[in-house]
Amino acid sequence: MKNKANNTNKKRHQLNQLIKEEQEHVMGDIEDLFSEEDTNRIRSSLLEWYDKNQRDLPWRRRTTKSGNGKNVKKEEEEEDDEKRAYGVWVSEVMLQQTRVQTVIDYYKRWMQKWPTLQHLAQASLEEVNEMWAGLGYYRRARFLLEGAKMIVARGSEFPNTVSTLRKVPGIGDYTAGAIASIAFKEVVPVVDGNVVRVLARLKAISANPKDKTTVKNFWKLAAQLVDPSRPGDFNQSLMELGATLCTPLNPSCSSCPVSSQCCALYNSKNDESVVVTRYPTKVVKAKQRQDFSTVCVVEISGSQGTLHQSQPDSRFLLVKRPDEGLLAGLWEFPSVTLDEEADLAMRRKLIDQLLKKSFKLNPPKNCSIISRVLVGEFVHVFSHIRRKIYVELLVLHLKGGMHDLYKEKDSETMDWKLLDSDAVSRMGLTSSVQKVYSMVQNFKQNGLSNSSIPSRKRVKCS
């Protein structure tokens, strides 16, 4: 038994030693920066490729000046830089976790409504959330608004360096680097997922890309490569390469302008077992937390209508989420979230408690139930939560009329409002709330019964 234990410990020691050597080897590769020759080649090749192949995106278009620009006043140049910085900021925040093609229309609408930082600073959170509806990750929009208000309130110019930009709410290292280099030509790097992928393949880096030390070294590599004369264009070229050619699964190595400097490609040509897509190392994602939500679409009818008829005087009850936490400050239908599955009876009991406590809706005391039906269910995926949502339609008739509901309104509980169907349709609702409302409208229009509820569908948050 003792010899067996010694052998086990010996093997464990050998394994740990191999892991340590591999880590030291990998970290040594990262610390080994690009040669001066490779740095210059990568800069010139990428910029030449970018000038010919960059996508025509609205946030890349600069304001056109009249004439040759020689007589443009310094104040006008500074104003143009600030507008450019604001546009870069908005676009970069929108592009986080969102596809470029999706962002384009959102960006155009945003800039049309709030063309400058000063315009945005005058907006309300509700207006911003409505404009943002459908993009997901609504915390980004709130930070944009808070940042704009802070800069304008201080009466200062738009921050033009990484150090000053980092003081603005919601602006991290990447966004600060993007704004500073693109709008103000500060020679600083940017590192996002696309840049990590390009650098990991150029240097054949197999270290965990999420490791703090590895991340720092990616920033060192990116900082070494930044072209001092065109920092913004170079940073965009690096990101553009990762987005269009050096993609996660199907890289176009034959079209890559820096393929001759790519160690991953070199390794793949000399070893059949190595593929370019091996880099960067795949990191196992954390398992999403599962929870459950029961949503009750409460329709207040002014008359004793039927389930499938839309009454012109009907109003839908919407509530505002708390100002902190998931989907902060957004509007939704009354709901209760649970950590575990619950049957229909329990879900209805919890909804009834919510309606009684927050809205004083207490049938049959002050209202009567015209109809109550389970419409369906679906799964909605957030970045870290997989939520199963049950949708119920509850049609009520208030005995004292709708003014009684307003009379009972308590500002200390939650913010809510009653809207007709047209107003609900025009609201900037999140994708999951839109899904709930669409299910109810389809149910009412098609006269579906419980037995014909559509099969479950998985809806992913963008």
Side-chain angles (χ1 to χ4, degrees), residues 151-188:
I151 295 171
V152 171
R154 291 182 177 180
S156 57
E157 297 178 347
F158 198 104
N160 57 12
T161 64
V162 166
S163 59
T164 54
L165 284 161
R166 285 291 281 112
K167 297 176 182 178
V168 178
I171 294 185
D173 292 330
Y174 165 77
T175 307
I179 298 171
S181 63
I182 297 171
F184 302 111
K185 297 183 174 58
E186 185 179 6
V187 185
V188 291

Side-chain angles (χ1 to χ4, degrees), residues 10 48 78 87 93 100 107 122 159 162 170 192 203-204 227 232 244 251 259 261 271 288 299 314 336 356 390 421 425:
K10 185 177 180 181
E48 182 181 357
E78 290 175 350
V93 173
V100 169
Y107 177 83
Q122 300 301 315
V162 166
D192 68 349
K203 296 287 290 179
D227 188 279
T244 60
S259 58
Q261 284 81 42
D271 186 345
Q288 291 171 321
E299 182 178 356
S314 290
V336 177
K356 182 178 180 180
Y390 293 95
S421 57
S425 299

Side-chain angles (χ1 to χ4, degrees), residues 64 167 233 251 275 340 361 417 448:
T64 303
K167 297 176 182 178
D233 287 339
V275 290
E340 57 185 16
L361 292 173
K417 57 187 175 182
L448 297 174

Side-chain angles (χ1 to χ4, degrees), residues 232-286:
D233 287 339
F234 180 81
N235 284 336
Q236 290 182 94
S237 73
L238 204 56
M239 293 185 285
E240 188 84 342
L241 183 69
T244 60
L245 295 185
C246 196
T247 55
L249 301 178
N250 298 298
S252 302
C253 297
S254 60
S255 305
C256 178
V258 291
S259 58
S260 60
Q261 284 81 42
C262 183
C263 291
L265 181 60
Y266 176 84
N267 290 346
S268 69
K269 289 179 178 179
N270 289 277
D271 186 345
E272 292 182 356
S273 67
V274 177
V275 290
V276 172
T277 53
R278 171 179 173 177
Y279 308 95
T281 300
K282 307 295 187 297
V283 179
V284 178
K285 294 183 178 180

Side-chain angles (χ1 to χ4, degrees), residues 7 22 34 60 137 153 204 322 327 387 403 450 456 458:
N7 288 335
E22 175 64 18
F34 294 99
R60 287 179 177 165
Y137 303 95
L327 304 177
R387 177 167 294 171
H403 65 277
N450 271 347
R456 304 178 186 180
R458 183 178 183 272

